[in-house]
């Protein structure tokens, strides 16, 4: 279990549980919201071909996931942990914080 905690850079098994719950909740909500966004715009597989629809859905899903990760992490009391992850990812994209 120590190797898993080291991989996630968490202090305890409880924090590891919370981090995994946040990832699961965020992933589920972001997939649902991406579908709602496309439906709100009026795009579905009847309007677009399947490849274009799924490409757009994935492109919409990515920023939704990043925003939700911070929000859900804050609700679960792990804002600092997930903000550190976000800063690392943004730095890799060339955006400095």
């Amino acid at each position: 279990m120590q190797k898993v905690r080291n991989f996630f850079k968490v202090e305890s098994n409880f924090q590891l549980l919370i981090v995994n719950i946040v990832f699961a909740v965020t992933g589920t909500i972001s997939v649902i919201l991406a579908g709602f966004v496309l439906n709100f715009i009026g795009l579905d597989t009847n309007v677009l071909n399947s490849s274009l629809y799924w490409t757009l859905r994935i492109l919409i899903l990515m920023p939704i996931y990043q925003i939700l990760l911070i929000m859900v992490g804050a609700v679960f009391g792990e804002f600092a942990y997930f903000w550190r992850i976000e800063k690392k990812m943004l730095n890799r994209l060339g955006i400095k914080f």
Side-chain angles (χ1 to χ4, degrees):
M1 201 59 150
Q2 184 63 38
K3 287 182 182 182
V4 176
R5 286 198 318 250
N6 289 342
F7 177 78
F8 281 99
K9 296 180 176 112
V10 295
E11 301 296 321
S12 66
N13 288 341
F14 181 72
Q15 187 181 16
L16 179 64
L17 175 68
I18 296 297
V19 166
N20 282 308
I21 289 171
V22 170
F23 280 127
V25 169
T26 303
T28 303
I29 294 172
S30 63
V31 167
I32 293 169
L33 282 179
F36 283 147
V37 168
L38 283 176
N39 287 336
F40 181 76
I41 296 171
L43 301 175
D44 59 17
T45 54
N46 296 329
V47 176
L48 300 171
N49 75 25
S50 185
S51 298
L52 183 57
Y53 172 80
W54 285 104
T55 301
L56 282 174
R57 189 164 177 165
I58 290 170
L59 289 173
I60 289 171
L61 185 132
M62 291 167 57
I64 289 173
Y65 180 82
Q66 300 306 320
I67 293 166
L68 283 175
L69 190 61
I70 297 294
M71 293 170 60
V72 174
V75 168
F76 279 87
E78 292 292 336
F79 175 81
Y81 178 84
F82 289 103
W83 182 241
R84 190 170 53 245
I85 290 174
E86 287 297 320
K87 287 193 300 188
K88 184 191 249 185
M89 191 202 67
L90 291 172
N91 283 336
R92 288 180 182 167
L93 293 174
I95 303 169
K96 301 293 179 190
F97 270 91

